[in-house]
Amino acid sequence: LQVRGPGLGVVGVSKGAEVALAMAAFLPQVAATVWINGTAFLHGNPLVYKELRIPPIPYYTERVLFTELGAMDNSAIFADPRDPAYCASAIPVEKIRGKVLFVVGEADRSFNSKLFAELALARMPPESGRILSYPGAGHLIEPPGSPLCSNSSIRGTPRPVAWGGEPQPHARAQEDSWQEILQFLELQLGSVAAMKL
């Protein structure tokens, strides 16, 4: 198996989408980024890269809400990224040389992912990104056939976390976004059929 080059594709979900966007901003070899329900600002932890340090927006854990099932709804723990006090925490998406596909679940109960995608796209070079937005889809948009995971336990949290989503629209989002992601990666990175095995 050989890795084609020189461009690389990066796919990230949630905090991983934040990391993927930062990789696209700082690593010129990243030609295609798939960002699924993430943020466009550093949260919780700073980004340190070479001499650069981007400060994070703190989590406001006292704002956590609980669902009727007792799961943690973290949507309120994020400060409004449009507040001028947080401009230094923005990932410098204007430096991205590749293309970005933003995949948004509008029923995400973890982040206001649509807002983050729109804020990032507004600062990017023209034609360098686009948003796929799915009403009724939750946070964890995974490949088709994956069950809706509307609540789950994650390390470091005292209770399960609410991810949101309704079964049918979430399933449709997974099916549609998967095809869009494959087409996007093929367009930006070249056809899989062109690979040497």
Side-chain angles (χ1 to χ4, degrees):
L1 179 65
Q2 293 182 343
V3 177
R4 290 172 300 146
L8 299 175
V10 179
V11 179
V13 180
S14 192
K15 187 70 169 176
E18 184 180 296
V19 172
L21 204 59
M23 289 176 67
F26 295 110
L27 304 176
Q29 62 269 39
V30 176
T33 304
V34 178
W35 175 104
I36 303 170
N37 286 326
T39 73
F41 290 71
L42 273 292
H43 285 87
N45 301 305
L47 183 145
V48 179
Y49 180 69
K50 297 183 179 177
E51 297 81 35
L52 177 75
R53 184 182 187 281
I54 298 177
I57 298 173
Y59 293 122
Y60 293 95
T61 54
E62 67 277 7
R63 297 182 190 170
V64 71
L65 304 172
F66 292 95
T67 69
E68 56 283 353
L69 297 174
M72 297 169 56
D73 179 335
N74 290 325
S75 58
I77 71 171
F78 296 92
D80 187 339
R82 295 167 292 192
D83 184 328
Y86 302 125
C87 65
S89 298
I91 295 170
V93 294
E94 58 277 359
K95 295 182 178 184
I96 292 175
R97 296 181 190 159
K99 304 285 187 188
V100 181
L101 179 64
F102 295 94
V103 180
V104 170
E106 293 183 20
D108 184 348
R109 289 182 77 171
S110 189
F111 302 147
N112 185 346
S113 300
K114 189 171 186 179
L115 173 64
F116 283 118
E118 290 168 348
L119 292 174
L121 194 58
R123 294 187 2 257
M124 292 171 60
E127 308 301 317
S128 62
R130 70 182 176 106
I131 298 173
L132 294 175
S133 193
Y134 298 99
H139 187 67
L140 300 177
I141 297 177
E142 298 177 305
S146 301
L148 168 63
C149 180
S150 56
N151 297 293
S152 70
S153 295
I154 60 172
R155 190 178 352 176
T157 60
R159 293 191 184 183
V161 174
W163 303 118
E166 303 159 27
Q168 288 186 339
H170 191 85
R172 283 193 296 272
Q174 290 187 155
E175 290 173 14
D176 184 75
S177 66
W178 183 251
Q179 293 306 314
E180 293 280 351
I181 289 166
L182 293 178
Q183 289 173 14
F184 170 76
L185 292 173
E186 186 169 309
L187 179 65
Q188 302 308 319
L189 303 174
S191 172
V192 173
M195 288 180 64
K196 286 186 175 181
L197 297 176

